[in-house]
Amino acid sequence: MQRTAATTAKGEEILRVEAKWRDRWEADRAAFVDTKEPAGNGKYLLVMLPYPSGDRLHVGHARTYFLTDALHRFLRQTGVTVFCPMGWDAFGLPAENYAIQMGIHPRTSTLANIAAMKEQFRSWGVLYDWTKEVTTCEPEYYRWNQWFFLKLLEKGLAVRRKSAVNWCPSCETVLANEQAEGGVCERCGTAVVPRELEQWFLKITDYADRLLDGLDTLGEWPEKVVTMQRNWIGRSTGADLDFAIPSLNETVRVFTTRPDTVFGATALILAPEHALVPRLLEVNPKRAELESWVASVRSQERIVREAEGAEKDGRDTGRTAINPFTGQEVPVWLANFVIADYGTGALMAVPAHDTRDFEFAKKYGIPIVKVIEPEREEKREEFLRKKEGTGDFLRREEGEGATRGSVAAAAGAGPPPPARDLSKKSPADDAGAPVGAYTGEGFLIASGPFSGKSSSIARELIAAEAARRGIGGPRVRYRLRDWLISRQRYWGTPIPMVHCEKDGWVPVPEKDLPVVLPPDAPFTGKGGNPLEKVASFVRTTCPSCGGPARRETDTMDTFVDSSWYFLRYLDPRNDTEPFDPAVVKEWAPVDQYIGGIEHAILHLLYARFFTRILKDLGHVTFEEPFSALFNQGMITRLSPSGRVEKMSKSRGNSVSLDALIAEKGADAVRAFVLFLGPPEKDAEWSDEGISGPERFLWRVRSTVERFLATGADPQAQPAKGDTPAARVRHMTIKKVTEDFRAFSFHTAVAHLMELLNGASVLVNDAGAEAGETATTLRALVTLLHPIAPHLSEELNERMGGKKSLLMSGWPTFDPALAEMESASIAVQISGKVRAEVSVRRGSSEKEVVAAAEANPAVARWLEGKQRVKTIWVQDRLLNIVVK
RNA sequence: GCCCUGGUGGCGGAAUUGGUAGACGCGCACGUUUGAGGGGCGUGUGGAGCAAUCCGUGCCAGUUCGAGUCUGGCCCAGGGCACCA
């Protein structure tokens, strides 16, 4: 496509104006970005730390920044003091991989990327307060990560323990779960295997309940995120029960959410990783075979072992345990589906009432003993009696039954389960052989003294009984695991620990922080962590005994960096503490957090955890770091694969922002991205769509220019208050203001387009009053500023505006004028719209009925009919029901 | 399997929370301006019908004078979790 002289001139003019205003905002920062004096209505707002990846930011990234900047400018215009900082999440794996591939030091590439991104931000016209910039890979920042670590260690919240990690045998390194997606190393494609390593953990599980409770206070968070966190924490209430193994003189503790089914527990099943496994197998004649099976399950790739529909596999240990409630012997099994680090790594199998146990029992011939009935005997008879009575009762009962329990069909069972019929006892009764487990609640049978009790009551009684007998008791467990922060990586915060032969693990004293990452290390991608090969770093002396010692070479997960950076923004140069509590108290918690849904769990949970720790340490006074959260949707586009997917460079469907801005200007791109659709939803990019907002902005400009050409005073006030033009203006101010407050940027743009159409008519109308027209144009330009800041500032100046729009206030509206004077009433005959009559707003029903009757279309429908009644909605609708 | 979201013209999407469905924009059509192309400007644009009118917010019922909106059931798409005892 060839550009003509005309478009070039237009394009050049746009770019000239945008450059002019960027320079002004930058040169006169103090006038626009004043964060020194937080006012009482201080609104503190921010976005996610952008990752300084190697790629330039493209259109897919733009939404969060445009959205934030629009909100920022709007708030400032309405007089709120806003602090909108930006910083860099600079540590992490991509930079290190880049070093391995390209031979460029992570620090060099990271700092270059940061410089490039800052330049991009500048070109978009986003207002960040760069005086508060934070860069996490600098010792001035990460020394506080180390300081936090020492505090956590003191409180017993940082611990070292053995754990299975994802190991890539080819790269000889540990991978985070995200880096081992699909069970293969993201770098070399080798299958990842589990490997036991000693690792540092932060005990986030100690905070599970507080993290859960806090979720109820997050009213301004998306419900979805709150639910995701709740599921992730995964609180389950139940009971611990001890099963004795007399032949070993040991007991195995299990956790169950269904203690009411304990009389149906016909086996004890342990994870292959369970500590008792070696002893269980000690004297087994097939010991070697069993041990090799255990070893093979333990080394199995996570992805295979946990795959959907993975075959359940187990072995009988030959030992027996005693069911503590029936007193009967049950076999002790090992099975691949038992998870080592949930609960106690052991479970009681109740095949009759658990789908997984059922599947396992069927495969291995373990007895299935039913102990729960969906309905109590006498209740069922009563039910059957009533069933013959009213149909109403039947429907209600079935509804209740459906919510109470469900029949889970056995995996692979042929036909779907038959429609529920409560006259059947349970699926097991149907034809002798049970076809599935009844996992719902009901009433106990064959359960000794508990028979006849309901599930919920029996649960409590059985748990209490276990407690009384000293073999367990009520227990709450969580799905949440402790946070593994060790990374065998160079490009991260060194963990401030030293290992001494004599004293073991010794923390680096606070006065010796930071432990600085050595500038040079061999990046080969082979042989593990490059830090291990830096002798000057590794060799040290023991802080405790002064003898020779080895420094910890693991570095921290980068999520540690992002768990508290938002507080460091407030006091980034502080070198005596992570931040000044007084400054933090003034601004925090964050009023509005904006970011993608991808952080719904990890980052947001870790930040909430850290905030609680900081509160316990006395550094902050609140528990929740982010009062309000907004998740913007992704920008999608058709990719070469033929699917509409998230825009990204790797998918080959990205659109260059740099090129687009160089051609259309930042304002047009901003307006278009905001116009795409509701910001919380995904939006599909269309290359042609930008012409709408582009034309709109150019028409705003030409309309103002045409008005200025008339020589009228652009600062003039309207002569009269109540005119149709004034009403349109007030209405638009109202709508746009409400839209911005509701993050409804796309409708704000639409309403401004309508206002332009009105303004354009005024400018073309020789009879229009100049003050009216000028005031409408000034309102348009002011309201437009959050969306198209450069153009609006330029037009404001050309219309004689003395101050930047950032400082000159937001237009107000008179509610009485923010609606049209006449109301258009829909006239319905028997609920169908037959005509529309225009009346003065506030007209009475009588007046409107008269007006409607005068309308020929209405008259025709009323003719020969009898009026039954009339429904009247003020200023809106008249419905005459006839027969 | 469980838990969320969502389903409205050719397309992106509006709809004051039960009151005129389709704002605004894209696309398309016609007209106009221009030497031409691009661009600009104007008009029209849910479907059917010459018209009166009828039909239309995933499907089926229901409540109501009136349902995109509320209730029950179902279908489809997207997302999250998933052998968590």
Side-chain angles (χ1 to χ4, degrees):
Chain A
M1 215 203 295
Q2 212 184 338
R3 255 196 262 151
T4 65
T7 31
T8 302
K10 192 165 146 183
E12 273 174 4
E13 167 63 6
I14 290 170
L15 298 181
R16 184 190 66 76
V17 166
E18 292 193 353
K20 165 183 160 185
W21 283 95
R22 278 199 283 271
D23 289 345
R24 287 242 196 131
W25 291 323
E26 211 161 69
D28 201 5
R29 177 192 308 279
F32 310 122
V33 188
D34 51 342
T35 60
K36 289 180 200 85
E37 304 285 336
N41 60 349
K43 185 97 179 171
Y44 166 29
L45 134 104
L46 100 172
V47 300
M48 278 304 302
L49 282 170
Y51 188 85
S53 68
D55 299 335
R56 306 269 299 170
L57 293 173
H58 54 73
V59 166
H61 298 114
R63 214 176 187 187
T64 185
Y65 305 108
F66 290 169
L67 205 140
T68 306
D69 194 58
L71 183 62
H72 179 179
R73 288 177 184 268
F74 164 71
L75 289 170
R76 246 170 216 288
Q77 284 181 271
T78 59
V80 176
T81 306
V82 184
F83 176 29
C84 187
M86 180 51 80
W88 314 98
D89 191 8
F91 273 139
L93 195 55
E96 188 158 346
N97 285 346
Y98 195 68
I100 292 164
Q101 283 158 17
M102 313 299 285
I104 296 169
H105 194 278
R107 188 183 168 81
T108 311
S109 60
T110 299
L111 294 183
N113 289 339
I114 288 173
M117 282 181 69
K118 271 177 100 162
E119 184 48 40
Q120 277 193 294
F121 284 147
R122 205 183 100 84
S123 77
W124 306 343
V126 295
L127 289 182
Y128 290 119
D129 183 352
W130 293 113
T131 66
K132 300 297 175 84
E133 186 176 0
V134 163
T135 307
T136 62
C137 68
E138 301 294 357
E140 292 74 33
Y141 183 83
Y142 69 70
R143 67 175 292 185
W144 300 109
N145 288 344
Q146 297 173 339
W147 177 87
F148 278 121
F149 183 88
L150 296 179
K151 296 290 172 199
L152 285 161
L153 195 74
E154 271 172 36
K155 294 179 68 114
L157 291 168
V159 294
R160 190 174 171 86
R161 76 165 87 106
K162 252 196 172 174
S163 150
V165 294
N166 300 307
W167 180 261
C168 171
S170 162
C171 304
E172 295 179 59
T173 186
V174 162
L175 300 171
N177 283 350
E178 317 76 80
Q179 295 146 9
E181 234 173 280
V184 296
C185 172
E186 68 167 5
R187 198 138 42 94
C188 68
T190 308
V192 172
V193 296
R195 185 164 176 174
E196 294 266 309
L197 279 181
E198 283 220 340
Q199 306 275 295
W200 291 103
F201 286 87
L202 300 185
K203 291 176 74 179
I204 191 170
T205 52
D206 282 11
Y207 283 72
D209 263 326
R210 279 171 69 184
L211 289 167
L212 205 55
D213 292 344
L215 292 174
D216 296 331
T217 69
L218 299 176
E220 289 182 70
W221 278 41
E223 192 53 41
K224 183 183 180 174
V225 174
V226 172
T227 306
M228 281 168 77
Q229 292 221 350
R230 189 168 282 127
N231 293 342
W232 188 260
I233 295 168
R235 184 185 146 110
S236 296
T237 48
D240 278 354
L241 299 173
D242 288 339
F243 280 61
I245 302 180
S247 62
L248 288 181
N249 198 23
E250 285 280 359
T251 60
V252 171
R253 174 158 286 201
V254 301
F255 172 67
T256 177
T257 54
R258 294 294 302 273
D260 53 316
T261 64
V262 67
F263 284 82
T266 51
L268 177 67
I269 313 183
L270 275 58
E273 290 86 353
H274 197 281
L276 211 58
V277 169
R279 288 197 56 204
L280 282 167
L281 302 182
E282 234 163 20
V283 297
N284 193 302
K286 288 195 274 182
R287 178 180 170 182
E289 195 188 319
L290 288 168
E291 280 177 347
S292 94
W293 177 83
V294 167
S296 79
V297 173
R298 291 182 64 160
S299 65
Q300 196 172 32
E301 295 152 26
R302 199 184 77 241
I303 187 86
V304 175
R305 184 167 162 189
E306 291 178 12
E308 187 175 345
E311 176 83 358
K312 289 192 172 36
D313 192 12
R315 291 292 185 275
D316 190 347
T317 62
R319 301 275 184 181
T320 56
I322 306 296
N323 180 323
F325 280 77
T326 63
Q328 285 175 344
E329 288 198 339
V330 297
V332 179
W333 283 72
L334 307 180
N336 64 343
F337 73 92
V338 181
I339 293 165
D341 58 354
Y342 181 73
T344 60
L347 59 86
M348 63 175 206
V350 185
H353 304 292
D354 182 280
T355 322
R356 296 151 304 176
D357 296 348
F358 180 83
E359 202 184 316
F360 191 74
K362 285 287 272 190
K363 180 170 176 183
Y364 292 107
I366 293 167
I368 299 171
V369 175
K370 195 178 59 177
V371 293
I372 304 285
E373 280 281 11
E375 291 288 338
R376 208 200 302 253
E377 280 299 315
E378 58 270 33
K379 226 187 156 178
R380 219 169 64 227
E381 278 157 26
E382 181 194 12
F383 166 75
L384 287 170
R385 255 198 338 272
K386 289 202 181 173
K387 191 176 174 180
E388 278 142 35
T390 77
D392 251 31
F393 177 76
L394 175 67
R395 216 170 298 133
R396 191 162 49 81
E397 276 296 298
E398 280 178 345
E400 281 175 10
T403 55
R404 193 170 314 156
S406 64
V407 177
R420 251 185 83 69
D421 182 348
L422 291 178
S423 66
K424 286 174 188 158
K425 282 184 179 173
S426 83
D429 290 346
D430 278 353
V435 295
Y438 175 73
T439 59
E441 310 220 330
F443 298 88
L444 274 66
I445 57 167
S447 296
F450 305 99
S451 295
K453 304 257 189 271
S454 72
S455 288
S456 57
I457 289 168
R459 265 202 293 273
E460 284 176 28
L461 293 176
I462 289 172
E465 170 73 5
R468 195 185 59 75
R469 285 165 53 191
I471 55 160
R475 180 70 198 238
V476 174
R477 300 235 180 221
Y478 302 90
R479 210 185 70 99
L480 181 70
R481 308 296 153 87
D482 280 331
W483 177 11
L484 193 169
I485 60 156
S486 294
R487 294 289 181 274
Q488 288 69 36
R489 289 290 182 172
Y490 166 81
W491 194 231
T493 304
I495 295 176
M497 296 295 292
V498 166
H499 188 75
C500 165
E501 289 294 331
K502 190 166 137 274
D503 297 309
W505 285 103
V506 181
V508 173
E510 216 176 289
K511 65 173 171 55
D512 294 340
L513 297 184
V515 175
V516 177
L517 196 61
D520 282 305
F523 297 102
T524 59
K526 291 275 173 190
N529 187 347
L531 264 185
E532 287 173 2
K533 305 200 178 64
V534 183
S536 60
F537 177 79
V538 174
R539 265 202 304 269
T540 186
T541 53
C542 172
S544 173
C545 69
R550 262 183 77 84
R551 211 178 268 287
E552 170 65 278
T553 54
D554 283 356
T555 52
M556 294 182 201
D557 182 2
T558 54
F559 278 118
V560 173
D561 306 335
S562 54
S563 289
W564 67 282
Y565 76 97
F566 46 92
L567 300 171
R568 183 70 178 175
Y569 277 148
L570 294 163
D571 193 13
R573 310 287 163 254
N574 196 326
D575 59 3
T576 59
E577 53 189 345
F579 49 80
D580 179 352
V583 177
V584 165
K585 197 172 177 189
E586 188 89 48
W587 286 89
V590 175
D591 293 282
Q592 182 65 61
Y593 202 34
I594 297 176
I597 187 72
E598 66 274 18
H599 295 107
I601 297 174
L602 296 181
H603 162 60
L604 290 170
L605 193 64
Y606 295 148
R608 295 179 62 228
F609 169 52
F610 255 60
T611 306
R612 282 162 172 74
I613 290 167
L614 285 165
K615 188 187 178 205
D616 292 350
L617 289 171
H619 290 267
V620 302
T621 54
F622 47 88
E623 289 217 333
E624 291 297 343
F626 312 117
S627 304
L629 173 67
F630 185 84
N631 291 129
Q632 86 282 351
M634 294 180 304
I635 292 185
T636 62
R637 186 165 177 256
L638 193 70
S639 62
S641 73
R643 284 193 305 266
V644 173
E645 342 175 71
K646 175 184 180 175
M647 188 183 281
S648 74
K649 204 161 182 184
S650 61
R651 288 184 182 84
N653 64 348
S654 68
V655 173
S656 162
L657 250 184
D658 292 337
L660 207 59
I661 286 178
E663 191 189 335
K664 315 276 190 192
D667 284 343
V669 180
R670 289 170 62 120
F672 181 45
V673 167
L674 293 174
F675 189 58
L676 274 178
E680 69 278 6
K681 292 201 346 199
D682 289 353
E684 191 180 338
W685 180 265
S686 77
D687 296 319
E688 310 79 44
I690 194 171
S691 61
E694 197 186 2
R695 269 199 286 261
F696 162 63
L697 293 181
W698 194 257
R699 287 184 60 209
V700 172
R701 168 194 279 267
S702 61
T703 304
V704 169
E705 282 172 347
R706 263 185 295 135
F707 175 76
L708 290 174
T710 66
D713 173 13
Q715 293 294 318
Q717 294 300 316
K720 278 182 290 188
D722 186 359
T723 63
R727 284 180 179 266
V728 169
R729 186 171 67 245
H730 283 264
M731 221 154 58
T732 306
I733 293 169
K734 178 170 187 269
K735 282 193 233 167
V736 170
T737 307
E738 286 166 357
D739 285 343
F740 278 132
R741 292 203 193 288
F743 285 73
S744 185
F745 300 98
H746 64 307
T747 51
V749 175
H751 292 136
L752 290 172
M753 287 171 166
E754 287 179 280
L755 183 61
L756 168 66
N757 292 337
S760 182
V761 170
L762 287 180
V763 171
N764 290 343
D765 178 2
E769 196 242 317
E772 190 84 86
T773 308
T775 305
T776 296
L777 287 173
R778 289 198 309 274
L780 172 64
V781 162
T782 310
L783 298 173
L784 184 63
H785 183 257
I787 291 155
H790 310 86
L791 174 67
S792 56
E793 288 273 35
E794 175 72 8
L795 295 180
N796 174 55
E797 189 180 70
R798 284 167 66 176
M799 284 196 294
K802 296 280 185 287
K803 286 192 285 190
S804 160
L805 287 172
L806 283 165
M807 311 299 290
S808 55
W810 190 252
T812 53
F813 63 88
D814 176 353
L817 294 179
E819 53 187 9
M820 291 320 286
E821 196 177 13
S822 64
S824 153
I825 309 283
V827 181
Q828 300 182 339
I829 307 299
S830 296
K832 284 198 183 290
V833 179
R834 296 301 178 188
E836 193 179 301
V837 295
S838 182
V839 298
R840 177 181 45 77
R841 195 166 282 277
S843 297
S844 70
E845 177 177 350
K846 228 180 200 169
E847 292 171 281
V848 174
V849 169
E853 281 164 346
N855 184 300
V858 175
R860 192 172 57 232
W861 284 95
L862 287 177
E863 207 181 306
K865 302 280 184 178
Q866 186 192 342
R867 296 195 200 185
V868 178
K869 67 168 159 176
T870 313
I871 287 113
W872 163 244
V873 182
Q874 181 74 50
D875 292 337
R876 213 173 277 278
L877 169 137
L878 178 73
N879 185 8
I880 301 169
V881 184
V882 297
K883 68 174 182 188

